[in-house]
Amino acid sequence: MTAAALAPTPTTAPAPAAPSAVQVQAAERAAIDASASGPVLFFFGSAILWLLLATVLGFISSVQLHSPGFLADCPIFTYGRILPAYNNALAYGWATLSGMGVAIWLLARLCRVQIKIPAVLVTGAIFWQAGLTLGIGQILAGKTTGVEGLEIPGSAAVLMLFGYMLVGLWGALLFGYRRQAPAYISVWYLVAALFWFTWTFGLAHLSIQLPGVTGVVQSLVAAWATQNFLHVFITAIGLATAYYLIPKVINRPVHSYHLASTGFWAFILFSGLTGAVRLSGGPLPVWLVTLSIAATILLIVQIATVSANLLLTMDGQYHMVYHSPTIRFTVFGALSFTIASVVGLLASLRSFDRLLHFTFFQSAQTHLLLYAFFSMVMFGAIYYILPRLVGCEWLSSTMIRWHFLAVAYGAGTLIVSLAVGGIASGAALADPGMIFSQVIEDGVRYHIGATLGWVMLALGHVIFAFHFLLMLFRIGQPGGEPTLFAPIGEEKH
Amino acid sequence: MNRSLHLFAGIIGSFALSCYALVLLPQQQLGGLQPQIAEDEGKIVDIYPVKNVSHEEGRAIYQSEGCFYCHSQQVRDEQNGTDLARGWGVRRTVARDYIFEKTPVLGSMRIGPDLANVGSPKWRNENEGEYATYKPKKRDASWHLLHLYAPRTVIKSSNMPPYRYLFETKKISGQRSVDALDLTGLDAPEPGYEVVPKPEATKLVAYLLSLDKSHPLKEVKGSAPEVAAK
């Protein structure tokens, strides 16, 4: 419906500008950036602190799988507490805060509205993080709800939700006051993300308080909430960002608005129905799992349209990955989205799920989506946005290059170790004659592989955090020309 | 404006659909599940499941220590894996098995074996052999305590974390405590000392030994029909 109205003149993020209007537009953008800079810097800065914490926790949990004695004598470091602490720090600390920072900036830019009373956004972020800190503290102290994916106890979750709603409300206001119609595809995804998160998070945590929700329904609610978080909220923000950055940096419109629109509607319709695959084979009515598998298969429409659209937009411009850090990270992320989605589709099929369900393959899939896709796109976005907020360019292309190498190889090593380890143990357990101890022993090498991946990720994150810190102190190249790996024009083949 | 109406309608409608299909409808279907009651000439002879109140504390420790990040508590049927062949249960588990658990610990990983029936006399994992030094056919409380304290003393390649903090090392005063662990080698405490479980460990093990979902249910084919038919 919307697509037909917008075609055939595709609207892109960079509004076509008559030469006389260029300066006016530049001034408007500068004013918007100035209004956004306080809260967005706060979101990014705190997100990166959470990323560092998640790195430490993720590393510890990984080591414990091959050296179970590691930090085992201190209850707060036991695997069963470190792991959920890691998951929450990564998902609600790093991913959500970086995602909200990018979302707010994108909404302000794309709706062409300055942010009024930015202190509300900062307050929102403070409440969110106060709740999260409390929640993770309670997990480490053993006071979790005991529901996988919703571990954070109610009181802390309320603080988080309140903080989130302040941010969500401000996002909605930016949309309400927009001066740019029609809304760009990224805006659709962002509005969807803001709405879905509030309701999923709120209802899921509420269900734990409701005495009427018990048994497998409670597990189902948790699965639904986790799936919505990853496959609606996180995915929507990641795609919104990719749809903005790729056309913007290579300076050409999105290939097809029809495709973008079809992809969006398929996404919003089917993604929210996929949650029960997390309990495939479990003690639930079969129709639920069948419904979710069907929805996962139908998502092929979105996978195909989004992937084709982004790839066709890049067509002929792939050399940009040699020049632009933003493009290098974002294209890596976009390709990971395609891989993650196709893998997710195949793994949901009963014949594969039977083997892979309770293995590390699941963890590989989560990291493919949350790290290789989403986090890489966020890195790309931060490389793009930050110079516009602080007024200088990134100091060192070498540091960016090292960041990329470390996290790309780190994520690759981690994900491949988890995936191959998962397949190996799944195949072994499918043979009833194979004893459990043998499976554990064979798994050690994959756990060591995962830990190696973590070491590389840690290196990348430290470099990135340091570079970010320099930017906060305005230590960088003079503003204007972006810091590139290689000047455009000097092709490197 | 019209376009944003489409957008809002789509977003709200799709969320409502998701919530209805995956939360409200299942709650409607499963929320009212009752225990299965077998009557004989008007007298109740059998109820399953039974509310397991005496082990709530042990269950809370199972949750707070995060055992469920490594252990599932759900048995799948033959089409979905080798759970039955491995001896982790005599039948698959179904929704009715969990009605009295507010927050069930179904688990999503099997770094260790499934524990849905670990307290059942029919539970089997693996036997004594090359990998396991001490594996009685029926694991009793003292076996579980030893395994919790130092998994590798009983299963050589185990990567289950040791839960030594659920135990304390005490000076033996007079008689050795009855529940002191029989530790040898590197794990043994200094002479004159003994390792005894804290109340948490005792409760946790009592909870583990109470786990048994092998009772036959009419909705599960293959679970012994005599009781179910009544």
Side-chain angles (χ1 to χ4, degrees):
Chain A
M1 51 193 103
T2 325
L6 292 173
T9 40
T11 314
T12 61
S20 58
V22 167
Q23 281 174 338
V24 181
Q25 289 194 353
E28 182 191 277
R29 281 200 296 270
I32 292 172
D33 288 346
S35 76
S37 99
V40 173
L41 283 178
F42 185 66
F43 276 109
F44 288 168
S46 20
I48 292 170
L49 287 180
W50 285 104
L51 180 64
L52 295 177
L53 176 70
T55 312
V56 173
L57 296 172
F59 173 78
I60 297 176
S61 70
S62 183
V63 171
Q64 286 175 332
L65 289 174
H66 50 83
S67 314
F70 183 60
L71 298 177
D73 287 336
C74 184
I76 57 171
F77 289 123
T78 190
Y79 180 82
R81 299 187 188 181
I82 286 286
L83 184 78
Y86 158 67
N87 287 336
N88 281 281
L90 187 70
Y92 295 137
W94 156 248
T96 305
L97 285 165
S98 62
M100 289 200 290
V102 172
I104 287 294
W105 185 83
L106 281 183
L107 280 172
R109 272 291 195 97
L110 288 170
C111 300
R112 296 177 48 214
V113 185
Q114 291 184 30
I115 294 174
K116 303 265 157 30
I117 334 180
V120 173
L121 289 169
V122 176
T123 313
I126 289 174
F127 268 94
W128 173 266
Q129 295 182 72
L132 184 59
T133 310
L134 183 65
I136 290 183
Q138 283 171 312
I139 291 172
L140 293 177
K143 301 202 167 50
T144 123
T145 62
V147 183
E148 199 172 351
L150 301 174
E151 292 90 354
I152 292 181
S155 47
V158 167
L159 288 178
M160 290 169 71
L161 186 62
F162 176 73
Y164 182 88
M165 282 165 76
L166 289 181
V167 179
L169 182 70
W170 246 229
L173 286 178
L174 289 175
F175 181 71
Y177 285 106
R178 71 191 176 283
R179 301 201 294 129
Q180 173 80 39
Y184 182 62
I185 183 71
S186 297
V187 176
W188 302 9
Y189 274 106
L190 291 175
V191 173
L194 292 179
F195 178 87
W196 273 69
F197 181 89
T198 319
W199 284 93
T200 305
F201 190 84
L203 289 177
H205 279 279
L206 178 69
S207 76
I208 297 182
Q209 312 300 326
L210 295 177
V213 183
T214 65
V216 293
V217 182
Q218 184 70 79
S219 306
L220 183 62
V221 172
W224 171 77
T226 308
Q227 189 82 353
N228 283 2
F229 176 79
L230 288 173
H231 292 265
V232 180
F233 178 70
I234 286 296
T235 301
I237 294 186
L239 289 180
T241 312
Y243 264 127
Y244 178 86
L245 291 176
I246 292 178
K248 189 84 180 178
V249 177
I250 65 171
N251 199 17
R252 68 148 71 139
V254 159
H255 175 75
S256 155
Y257 226 80
H258 272 308
L259 283 181
S261 161
T262 313
F264 174 81
W265 289 109
F267 162 77
I268 200 71
L269 186 61
F270 300 129
S271 291
L273 296 175
T274 58
V277 293
R278 295 188 163 265
L279 295 172
S280 193
L284 293 169
V286 181
W287 68 263
L288 266 167
V289 177
T290 309
L291 170 76
S292 285
I293 297 175
T296 310
I297 294 171
L298 288 170
L299 268 178
I300 190 101
V301 176
Q302 186 222 7
I303 306 169
T305 49
V306 171
S307 309
N309 213 3
L310 290 177
L311 294 184
L312 288 171
T313 307
M314 278 297 291
D315 193 39
Q317 294 290 324
Y318 278 103
H319 62 90
M320 283 301 283
V321 301
Y322 294 117
H323 306 295
S324 158
T326 297
I327 286 293
R328 191 178 291 184
F329 278 94
T330 312
V331 167
F332 185 103
L335 292 175
S336 303
F337 167 76
T338 308
I339 298 172
S341 307
V342 172
V343 169
L345 193 157
L346 293 176
S348 78
L349 302 176
R350 283 203 168 85
S351 37
F352 289 114
D353 180 80
R354 176 185 311 152
L355 296 177
L356 302 174
H357 193 85
F358 291 109
T359 71
F360 280 100
F361 197 81
Q362 306 254 349
S363 176
Q365 281 179 264
T366 309
H367 285 94
L368 205 48
L369 192 86
L370 195 56
Y371 200 92
F373 159 49
F374 183 78
S375 301
M376 293 302 264
V377 172
M378 287 300 112
F379 291 137
I382 293 175
Y383 280 123
Y384 183 83
I385 297 171
L386 213 60
R388 289 163 172 77
L389 303 181
V390 301
C392 65
E393 298 291 336
W394 296 89
L395 179 67
S396 149
S397 65
T398 312
M399 260 176 1
I400 307 181
R401 182 175 289 122
W402 276 98
H403 173 210
F404 181 82
L405 285 175
V407 294
Y409 281 100
T413 311
L414 174 69
I415 292 167
V416 169
S417 305
L418 292 172
V420 177
I423 294 171
S425 71
L429 286 171
D431 168 10
M434 180 66 135
I435 63 171
F436 214 89
S437 292
Q438 178 75 56
V439 179
I440 299 170
E441 206 166 88
D442 293 344
V444 170
R445 65 189 89 153
Y446 305 110
H447 297 316
I448 292 177
T451 301
L452 256 171
W454 272 111
V455 173
M456 291 187 243
L457 287 175
L459 181 72
H461 295 163
V462 168
I463 297 173
F464 177 60
F466 177 66
H467 214 178
F468 182 87
L469 198 68
L470 292 183
M471 285 294 269
L472 285 188
F473 289 110
R474 312 294 190 269
I475 300 173
Q477 309 283 351
E481 285 305 302
T483 306
L484 297 175
F485 291 133
I488 296 177
E490 266 175 43
E491 300 297 310
K492 186 171 148 190
H493 288 294
Chain B
M1 267 303 105
N2 206 7
R3 276 195 206 118
S4 28
L5 271 187
H6 280 311
L7 182 61
F8 283 134
I11 290 173
I12 296 174
S14 59
F15 179 80
L17 180 66
S18 157
C19 189
Y20 177 71
L22 294 189
V23 179
L24 298 180
L25 207 56
Q27 169 69 9
Q28 208 179 10
Q29 187 182 349
L30 302 173
L33 269 183
Q34 296 298 324
Q36 172 177 292
I37 297 177
E39 284 177 60
D40 192 15
E41 291 160 8
K43 282 214 308 249
I44 295 177
V45 292
D46 184 36
I47 301 186
Y48 176 82
V50 184
K51 209 166 186 164
N52 191 350
V53 271
S54 49
H55 295 296
E56 278 305 312
E57 280 178 74
R59 184 170 195 281
I61 294 158
Y62 187 87
Q63 289 188 317
S64 71
E65 302 316 307
C67 310
F68 60 98
Y69 294 103
C70 291
H71 292 286
S72 61
Q73 284 194 25
Q74 47 174 318
V75 180
R76 300 179 296 176
D77 58 16
E78 293 93 338
Q79 281 101 57
N80 280 307
T82 54
D83 305 11
L84 299 181
R86 286 184 176 277
W88 292 345
V90 291
R91 61 161 175 88
R92 73 185 168 95
T93 54
V94 292
R96 198 189 301 276
D97 287 307
Y98 304 89
I99 52 177
F100 289 127
E101 296 178 44
K102 171 61 185 140
T103 52
V105 274
L106 294 183
S108 62
M109 278 297 263
R110 283 182 179 165
I111 301 176
D114 186 273
L115 299 180
N117 293 301
V118 69
S120 157
K122 297 180 203 115
W123 195 75
R124 292 285 172 273
N125 188 23
E126 58 185 58
N127 294 321
E128 213 161 301
E130 176 189 353
Y131 288 96
T133 48
Y134 170 45
K135 280 237 156 176
K137 253 198 148 29
K138 172 76 195 103
R139 276 65 138 159
D140 55 7
S142 60
W143 187 89
H144 278 297
L145 286 170
L146 189 64
H147 179 253
L148 266 184
Y149 183 80
R152 285 197 170 171
T153 59
V154 277
I155 288 119
K156 284 183 217 147
S157 63
S158 177
N159 60 355
M160 172 157 152
Y163 287 91
R164 285 186 287 258
Y165 62 83
L166 296 176
F167 296 79
E168 56 191 343
T169 310
K170 291 199 311 195
K171 210 180 165 87
I172 304 178
S173 50
Q175 203 80 24
R176 193 168 174 270
S177 313
V178 274
D179 54 359
L181 300 186
D182 293 319
L183 294 164
T184 50
L186 286 175
D187 298 293
E190 283 172 49
Y193 286 80
E194 61 179 4
V195 175
V196 289
K198 292 184 188 166
E200 290 94 313
T202 319
K203 284 175 189 157
L204 179 60
V205 167
Y207 164 71
L208 288 177
L209 290 173
S210 79
L211 288 174
D212 185 351
K213 295 189 197 308
S214 52
H215 189 288
L217 275 179
K218 58 177 184 294
E219 62 263 48
V220 190
K221 285 197 297 284
S223 61
E226 327 91 71
V227 189
K230 274 200 174 169

